[in-house]
């Protein structure tokens, strides 16, 4: 399916899943607009895309920043919001800012991103939110994180109902071998990957392309709305 004359906006598109989704969409003709917190990463990301791609610095945790970002965009046909930075901690001992960070940055960040984009969305636009497989199978010691992911999926259903015929879906990936993990300590990363493999039906950690292709599917399938897709290797079923 060609995406010629379609505009895709990605908040959190400067690396990993967001950037790969942008690259795949651009290969199919989409005009891509990226948002990210870091200007240098944004510049590098844009260099991997066609010349008509553009972007701007934006902080999804800041409503005014989101409003400035969307102000210069004429029309949005597809919106993907994978960008978020948050902390995870146990219920018994987490400080308030740690406990609230998945909601403040991941849930509310996406909520307000869609809200800021609302007037720019085309009549049959597609929105894909990002949750995580922990919504269905919580990670021990991360109750608020599991709850925030589940809330994002509820938000997706609520927005699909309220904004139709705009389509709203959610992608809930499992552990993915992305830039985020590659930037962490190797011993910790390998231990986490081994644990995840043992917890899945397929015995594998996801690749960035696995998740990006799933996101692009939700963005382009005109008969899906209000759904959550789990590209997680069967983690939620184990």
């Amino acid at each position: 399916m060609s995406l010629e004359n379609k505009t895709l906006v990605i908040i959190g598109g400067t690396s990993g899943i967001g950037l790969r989704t942008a690259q795949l969409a651009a290969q199919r003709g989409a005009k891509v607009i990226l948002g990210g917190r870091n200007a240098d990463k944004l510049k590098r990301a844009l260099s991997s895309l066609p010349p008509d791609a553009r972007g701007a610095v934006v902080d999804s945790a800041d409503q005014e920043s989101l409003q400035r970002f969307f102000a210069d965009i004429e029309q949005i046909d597809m919106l993907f919001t994978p960008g978020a930075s948050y902390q995870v901690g146990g219920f018994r001992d987490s400080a308030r800012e740690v406990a609230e960070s998945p909601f403040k940055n991941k849930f509310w960040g996406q909520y307000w991103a869609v809200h800021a984009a609302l007037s720019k969305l085309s009549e049959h636009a597609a929105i894909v939110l990002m949750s995580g497989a922990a919504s269905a199978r919580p990670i021990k010691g991360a109750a608020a994180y599991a709850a925030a992911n589940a809330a994002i999926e509820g938000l997706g259903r609520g927005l699909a109902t309220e904004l139709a015929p705009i389509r709203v879906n959610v992608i809930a990936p499992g552990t993915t071998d992305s830039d985020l993990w590659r930037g962490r300590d190797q011993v910790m990363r390998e231990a986490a990957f081994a644990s995840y493999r043992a917890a899945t039906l397929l015995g594998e950690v996801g690749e960035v392309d696995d998740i990006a292709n799933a996101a692009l599917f939700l963005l382009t399938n005109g008969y899906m709305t209000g759904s959550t897709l789990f590209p997680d290797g069967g983690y939620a079923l184990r």
Side-chain angles (χ1 to χ4, degrees):
M1 174 185 174
S2 173
L3 296 179
E4 293 285 346
N5 301 316
K6 300 293 185 181
T7 298
L8 167 62
V9 176
I10 304 181
I11 303 294
T14 60
S15 64
I17 295 163
L19 177 57
R20 186 57 181 151
T21 304
Q23 292 167 342
L24 293 172
Q27 289 172 13
R28 291 165 59 174
K31 179 182 178 182
V32 176
I33 302 173
L34 301 183
R37 289 187 301 273
N38 184 286
D40 290 336
K41 288 181 67 176
L42 178 62
K43 183 177 180 180
R44 288 194 297 270
L46 290 172
S47 71
S48 72
L49 294 166
D52 65 350
R54 62 186 177 94
V57 173
V58 62
D59 181 356
S60 62
D62 183 334
Q63 292 183 50
E64 291 184 2
S65 178
L66 285 166
Q67 290 165 1
R68 288 193 299 270
F69 174 81
F70 285 108
D72 294 331
I73 300 174
E74 183 176 346
Q75 179 174 293
I76 302 167
D77 301 297
M78 297 173 286
L79 174 64
F80 183 31
T81 56
S85 178
Y86 50 86
Q87 297 172 279
V88 176
F91 180 77
R92 289 185 174 88
D93 54 7
S94 287
R96 179 171 180 167
E97 60 270 20
V98 173
E100 293 181 352
S101 67
F103 278 92
K104 180 180 178 181
N105 296 310
K106 191 171 186 179
F107 175 84
W108 286 112
Q110 293 184 87
Y111 181 102
W112 290 116
V114 175
H115 192 274
L118 200 54
S119 66
K120 306 302 179 77
L121 294 171
S122 59
E123 182 181 2
H124 295 280
I127 299 168
V128 174
L129 308 176
M130 174 81 88
S131 66
S135 64
R137 185 180 171 190
I139 303 165
K140 185 176 181 180
Y145 173 71
N149 283 308
I152 291 163
E153 293 165 18
L155 175 64
R157 292 188 293 273
L159 291 179
T161 302
E162 187 169 345
L163 302 183
I166 292 171
R167 298 185 301 103
V168 185
N169 293 289
V170 182
I171 188 168
T175 297
T176 306
D177 188 6
S178 64
D179 294 341
L180 175 67
W181 278 105
R182 291 173 188 175
R184 294 176 177 174
D185 176 76
Q186 182 178 357
V187 173
M188 181 185 72
R189 181 176 69 248
E190 290 178 353
F193 283 5
S195 176
Y196 188 79
R197 290 187 184 100
T200 67
L201 296 177
L202 299 183
E204 298 289 346
V205 169
E207 300 292 335
V208 169
D209 271 26
D210 297 327
I211 317 306
N213 277 301
L216 197 56
F217 165 74
L218 290 175
L219 288 166
T220 57
N221 188 305
Y223 202 55
M224 287 195 70
T225 194
S227 295
T228 298
L229 189 62
F230 284 81
D232 65 350
Y235 171 82
L237 297 176
R238 190 63 184 269

